[in-house]
Every structure is written in C-alpha cells, then in structure tokens.
Amino acid sequence: MASDVLRMDWSRLLETSRYGRNDGNTGIRSPFQKDIDRIIFSDHFRRLARKTQVHPLNENDHIHSRLTHSLEVASVGKSLGELIGVYLEEKGELPEALQPTDVGEAVQAACLAHDIGNPPFGHSGEEAIKDWFKSKHDIFRHIGPEYEADFTRFDGNAMAVRILLSTGFQRIGMSPTYAVIGALLKYPWPSFKAAKDKFSYFQTEAEAMEKVADTLGLIRLDGRYSRPPLAYLTEAADDICYRIIDIEDGTEMGILDEQFMYDRFARALGLDSSGRYAWLPEAHFRQRNSVLRAKLISEATQEAAALFEVYYDEIMTGTFDVKSSLMEKSVTGICRTIHDVYEQTKGTLFLSRRKATLELGAQNALGRLLDQTMADVDKFCHARQSGLNDKIKALIGPEAMDDISGEDSHCQYKVMMTIVDYISGMTDHYATNLCRKLLGLGY
C-alpha cells in the first residue's frame, strides 16, 4: 500500500477518555464496562422494553421488543469485538494497555446503545415523524435547509448519539468513551449529506462530532468522516440479529409457517442429514428455531469477523464502500444465505394485516402528537405569547427549554428538536395513551 494513503490508528480509535468529562480509569471496571453499565441502567435503555422492534403493541411475550433485540445484538457484538481484538493483537496493532476483551466491551456498549434513540412504533415511527415534517413547509420559514433535513430525514441513529453526548432532552447524557461513540457511528455524516435518510448526527451535535472525529483520527472524506472500524462490527451484529430474529418472530406470529426456518436454513447449516439432529424436524417449532438460531448466529459471527479481516485495509483507509456492509460482502457463506432469505421474506413480514393496521394507527398517533406540540412553535422565539406554548412547556417539563433563548438565531430549531426529543423518547404505550388523552378519549 502506498505510504501516502491516510490510515486510521487503533491507539486513537480505542481512546478510553470520555466526551464531556473524564472521571479517570480507577476501580476494577474497565472504561468500556463503565459505558455498558451506564447504558443498561439508563432510563432510555429501560424504555426499550416497551418500544416496537417489528410488531407493535404485541401481547405475545415471545416477540422481541427493542430491549431484547438490543441485548441480543450486544451479545453478538461482544463476540465480534473479541474476535477482532485477537486479530489486532496478532497483528501487533492492539494498544499495549488493552486486551481483546476490551474491544469486545467497546462494541458491546455501542450495540446496547444503538437503538436508544428510536421513536415509538419502530421504523414506522421514524417514517411518521419524517412525513409529518415534510408536509409542514411553513414551519421551516426561519430554519436553514441543513437544519430542516434533521426533521424531514429524522433518524433514530442520530438521536442515539444525541442522547449519549449529553446534548439531548434535559441535557443529561452518559459521557461515553470516545471509542464507544466511534463504534456507534454507522453513518458519520449529517442529515443533509444522508443517503436513504441514514445519518449519525443532527446539527446540534455537529460541533461535538468535530471533536470526536479529531480524537479518533477519522479521515475526512467529501463532507463526511470515514466510518470508525468498530462501527462495522456494531452494524454486523445488528444485521445478523434482526434478520434472523425478524424471521423467527414471523413464525411465532403465524405470518410464516412454523417449518419455515428449518426449510430455509437446515441444509445450509448441515443439519438436514445429521444424525445428531435427526429429531429436529419433529421438534416443537420454538425448540427447532432455537437450535437453528444459535447455529446461524454462531456461523454468521465467525464469517463477519473473517470478512472484516479480508476488507481490513479498505476499512482502515476509509475506502470500504459506504453503501455496503460486512454481511452484504458475503458471496456464498451463511451471511449471504441469511441476507437472501430475509430479502425474499421481508415483504410478507412487514405487510401482515395486523402490523399494517397498527402502523397506520401509530402514524396517526404521532401525527396528532406533533400537531399538538408543534402548533405554535414559532411563537416560542419571536416575542409572541401563546397560552398553548405554556401548556406544551408544562407537558414536556419547563426545564427542558430553560437554556433556549429568543436571542439565539437557532432558537426555533432548538425548540423543535427538544419537542422531537420528547416524542421520540416515548414508549409505544405512552404515545398511544397520551394521544387518546389529547383527543379527549381517556384520562
């Protein structure tokens, strides 16, 4: 490789100091274990228990929520991180003060946090927020296009970063290590540079991202930053889990046949003719799916780590195709099988009658909440009194807007972002119940 090619450095990518404050690395816990603990014990993480993964407001206890999904992704991410930690150690690129387990913990922490910014009702909630803002052109009269894109392209990934960096609702964050922030940056560019509405930070975090990028030694590439290498592992853990688990949940919901996972994956896993698993076809479908899931995750994790090693130089120089992922680079392996089956199946999974009905209701609910909370938003900052504004402040909590001044040129943008902080932080049940109350249907 040419000596003048820019390359990221693990001594910076695995930085253990913290954004916003540095409380030292004392005690028995590693810096990354502290990140894990802070995320797990946060109210943002706790609320994921009542946020949709795929199937909203589900009463079947076997169906995944955002919480169970995040825990599973973190488990896979930890394994991926440790595998790559061993690889870096063998190459002599792992900083001397760190162990492969530290790399695993950094990825694990990012995986735990990867969905904490998601709004209620899953991806349909994201779409509802974007669609509402796209239909409200007048609300952006005092806001520049780069700020407008934060709302019309709203993304839960950016809200997760906002929460971690102490810049979100009520300004209370977790001050994570720089390495964990990097592992979370799957899309290190702002909303107005986004492709397919995927981005990792709002304009409120643009200045913070400058500091994060400088600390981690990210490469500047045409209006964006290079993806931190650990972000590929966070993404791979998420890709592996949601594809497999969405299919498994589909069989639990009766959207897919109970035999579906066996029919599609047993041969690829070598389980269709194995004496040890001869009992599998006749087992209860949950027991059968459990075996298949475990085998799929194990093999996919090993393959994703191997693919990281294959594309290592491209990842470290920022030249890896940003429109691709480790899973999509699989040609004939188990990751390719999982990817293809999911692509063939997701239309059925996402357009089931129950899911479609509830998502239409969810969109109406979020639309109503935004109608109410954003009704007089321009009056917050332009010296015009509104009794409705006082009610919205009381609903959200007046301290959430205490440091926003009408003298600030970005006042309205910040007020709108604070309201979006509030709404995106809601659980499915809270959003549904609040909407009913605002409609006068229940108290």
Side-chain angles (χ1 to χ4, degrees):
M1 182 175 295
S3 59
D4 59 346
V5 174
L6 293 175
R7 190 179 183 88
M8 289 176 277
D9 180 357
W10 286 104
S11 65
R12 299 177 69 180
L13 292 166
L14 290 169
E15 176 59 51
T16 60
S17 63
R18 299 185 175 280
Y19 178 85
R21 71 171 186 262
N22 193 9
D23 49 8
N25 294 329
T26 59
I28 62 171
R29 293 181 299 158
S30 73
F32 307 132
Q33 182 61 55
K34 290 180 181 178
D35 287 332
I36 291 168
D37 295 343
R38 290 179 183 184
I39 293 163
I40 286 178
F41 283 94
S42 70
D43 55 352
H44 299 283
F45 189 74
R46 185 165 59 251
R47 288 198 296 269
L48 294 179
R50 304 196 87 181
K51 288 195 178 191
T52 294
Q53 173 60 19
V54 173
H55 303 284
L57 300 172
N58 208 290
E59 296 181 1
N60 185 329
D61 291 336
H62 291 277
I63 299 302
H64 286 75
S65 67
R66 285 281 171 187
L67 181 68
T68 50
H69 167 70
S70 296
L71 290 169
E72 290 169 351
V73 172
S75 178
V76 175
K78 184 175 189 296
S79 297
L80 276 170
E82 289 188 6
L83 287 168
I84 297 308
V86 170
Y87 172 70
L88 295 176
E89 189 174 52
E90 291 172 347
K91 287 176 67 68
E93 295 187 28
L94 186 67
E96 288 186 8
L98 299 178
Q99 303 294 323
T101 52
D102 292 309
V103 183
E105 287 177 350
V107 179
Q108 181 184 6
C111 289
L112 286 168
H114 86 283
D115 271 352
I116 61 172
N118 279 40
F121 310 117
H123 292 300
S124 64
E126 285 181 317
E127 294 302 318
I129 292 172
K130 288 188 283 191
D131 289 346
W132 189 90
F133 280 108
K134 287 175 182 176
S135 69
K136 305 293 181 182
H137 302 293
D138 289 348
I139 205 170
F140 297 115
R141 283 175 298 176
H142 304 291
I143 295 176
E146 70 274 27
Y147 295 90
E148 178 180 342
D150 283 355
F151 303 104
T152 58
R153 294 181 174 181
F154 175 84
D155 184 19
N157 290 286
M159 186 58 72
V161 171
R162 180 168 163 79
I163 289 167
L164 285 189
L165 295 187
S166 309
T167 49
F169 188 59
Q170 297 185 352
R171 315 298 184 265
I172 300 171
M174 303 177 204
S175 296
T177 58
Y178 283 96
V180 168
I181 299 171
L184 193 61
L185 295 179
K186 294 196 290 183
Y187 314 104
W189 46 81
S191 58
F192 64 93
K193 292 281 187 179
K196 296 183 179 179
D197 292 357
K198 292 295 184 183
F199 59 97
S200 281
Y201 60 94
F202 299 116
Q203 285 302 302
T204 43
E205 284 67 60
E207 184 176 334
M209 278 302 105
E210 290 277 350
K211 184 173 183 180
V212 170
D214 288 344
T215 301
L216 295 176
L218 304 186
I219 302 167
R220 295 178 184 272
L221 300 166
D222 189 27
R224 62 180 179 85
Y225 299 111
S226 59
R227 261 188 175 186
L230 293 187
Y232 286 97
L233 304 182
T234 302
E235 178 182 52
D238 187 27
D239 286 350
I240 290 167
C241 287
Y242 83 73
R243 284 174 166 88
I244 296 171
I245 297 305
D246 286 2
I247 293 170
E248 185 177 3
D249 280 355
T251 65
E252 180 68 39
M253 292 285 293
I255 299 168
L256 301 173
D257 187 88
E258 290 182 355
Q259 198 76 13
F260 184 88
M261 287 186 69
Y262 184 85
D263 292 343
R264 294 302 184 95
F265 296 120
R267 179 174 295 180
L269 292 168
L271 302 183
D272 57 330
S273 59
S274 171
R276 180 182 175 187
Y277 292 98
W279 55 272
L280 204 55
E282 305 304 321
H284 187 279
F285 82 97
R286 288 191 189 126
Q287 187 178 17
R288 183 171 57 241
N289 286 351
S290 179
V291 172
L292 292 164
R293 180 207 325 124
K295 294 288 186 182
L296 286 168
I297 289 175
S298 178
E299 290 196 17
T301 300
Q302 293 291 332
E303 185 184 1
L307 288 165
F308 184 95
E309 295 175 17
V310 169
Y311 291 96
Y312 182 70
D313 285 336
E314 292 178 33
I315 288 169
M316 294 302 291
T317 56
T319 56
F320 188 95
D321 182 5
V322 295
K323 297 179 181 179
S324 188
S325 66
L326 292 177
M327 177 168 265
E328 290 170 340
K329 290 296 185 182
S330 175
V331 178
T332 59
I334 198 66
C335 286
R336 172 53 54 182
T337 300
I338 295 168
H339 174 78
D340 289 348
V341 172
Y342 181 79
E343 290 298 310
Q344 295 159 11
T345 309
K346 67 180 182 182
T348 303
L349 290 173
F350 283 88
L351 292 176
S352 68
R353 184 180 182 85
R354 179 187 182 279
K355 179 173 167 58
T357 301
L358 287 171
E359 286 186 349
L360 288 171
Q363 288 180 316
N364 288 334
L366 289 181
R368 170 60 64 179
L369 293 175
L370 287 164
D371 284 341
Q372 292 288 116
T373 54
M374 294 282 183
D376 283 350
V377 71
D378 59 325
K379 295 180 182 178
F380 276 100
C381 301
H382 295 95
R384 287 180 287 163
Q385 296 300 314
S386 169
L388 181 58
N389 287 166
D390 292 336
K391 291 182 176 68
I392 299 305
K393 283 185 178 180
L395 177 66
I396 294 176
E399 68 279 3
M401 298 184 188
D402 279 350
D403 62 346
I404 301 176
S405 166
E407 303 300 317
D408 188 335
S409 60
H410 299 305
C411 175
Q412 185 173 325
Y413 166 75
K414 291 179 179 178
V415 170
M416 290 168 61
M417 186 60 74
T418 300
I419 294 172
V420 171
D421 286 341
Y422 173 63
I423 290 176
S424 68
M426 295 177 182
T427 64
D428 298 4
H429 294 79
Y430 183 86
T432 301
N433 291 336
L434 181 59
C435 182
R436 286 177 57 83
K437 291 175 181 178
L438 293 177
L439 288 170
L441 298 177
Y443 300 95

